[in-house]
Amino acid sequence: MLQSRHLLSGLGLSLMIASLSANAAGLTAEHKAFGKTNDGTPVEQYILRNSHGMQATVITYGATLQALKVADKHGKFDDVVLGFDDVQGYQKGTAYFGATIGRFGNRLADGAFELDGKRYQVPQNDKSNALHGGPQGFDKKVWKAKETKDKDSVGVTLTYLSADGEMGFPGNLSTEVTYRLTENNELRIDYKASTDKPTVLNLTNHSYFNLAGAGNGDILKQVATLNASHYTPVTAKLIPTGELAPVAGTPMDFTKATAIGTHIKADHPQLKFAEPKQGGFDFNWALDTKGDISKVATEVSDPQSGRTLQLFTTEPGVQFYTSNFLDGTVKGKGGKVYPHWGAFTLETQHYPDSPNQPGFPSTRLDPGQTYTHSVILKFTAK
């Protein structure tokens, strides 16, 4: 565990609390208030910067990546993740912009699962499914936070204790999420969790990326490569059938660099399940990297800005989602409108509905075990 150091100084009223620290590598962190929830709970903001100008902003509401400023090929910085300028936007929002998702990312069929012969019920919030941990998941909680740093990175560690029975899940679950920014223009996210009863767990981050800048049009011309020769097909209810199907010969084949819009409207039943009117991607790809974080799992680039995002992960799967249900009615940061297909997600994860799918990698966590999960987002521009 990295030791934290937290320097406080007043800025005007005590409602605005800030801290500034730095290390030899030119990495700095700023800490200040980010308003309050509707019930008056204070929310804090941590702004992480490196010497190249890259900036990651994390808020304690939902342990959320609220902003991520990255340079384009001309050195111009723009925020490449969707979100809101105030806490109330996140409280009212249903799209999970930038949030830490738990206890169980993605879908559980009928909101139910069994452990050791006992059935557990999670509130259904996606038609008959439970989605992303139910209606009051980790994305709707205020986490505790402290600054962390070492010689190679600056970051923030957020913690949350989910009580036994919360949203129907068994066990008191202690969860820790750490965001770290490096001088290599990498944002690393590390998860750690433990429980006092057998439970199921599938944490992820739900950032929506637009490499042209959040709110700057759609992502159809951005080019994706997914290091995955198979995916998990779904039923009309978006629940996996249990098979691992080859992507070859389908619109799900991103094994070679392909513009996201190339096949997004293809006449394929899976795309209609994901978005019945116009089609779209919202599936779990089984990564060929098989948890090797030294290998590129996915890569997306924007030809216009020159920005490229490479993702590395210890997880076996990634949910590639093309914001099919954004419709231009949501106003985000700076008043920008977020259009249909205005972003993509790369949700690193175990497979959806795993507790009900005996052939999938297990998401069970027992007392004495430690859940870990790591993601690296590396940005370049050329």
Side-chain angles (χ1 to χ4, degrees), residues 43-54:
V43 175
E44 298 171 303
Q45 179 185 60
Y46 287 77
I47 304 171
L48 314 175
R49 299 182 179 92
N50 69 15
S51 65
H52 307 296
M54 184 173 168

Side-chain angles (χ1 to χ4, degrees), residues 137-157:
F138 287 4
D139 61 297
K140 298 298 184 186
K141 307 298 181 182
V142 178
W143 296 52
K144 295 180 180 179
K146 61 181 180 180
E147 185 187 321
T148 63
K149 63 181 181 179
D150 59 23
K151 64 182 179 67
D152 299 316
S153 67
V154 65
V156 57
T157 295

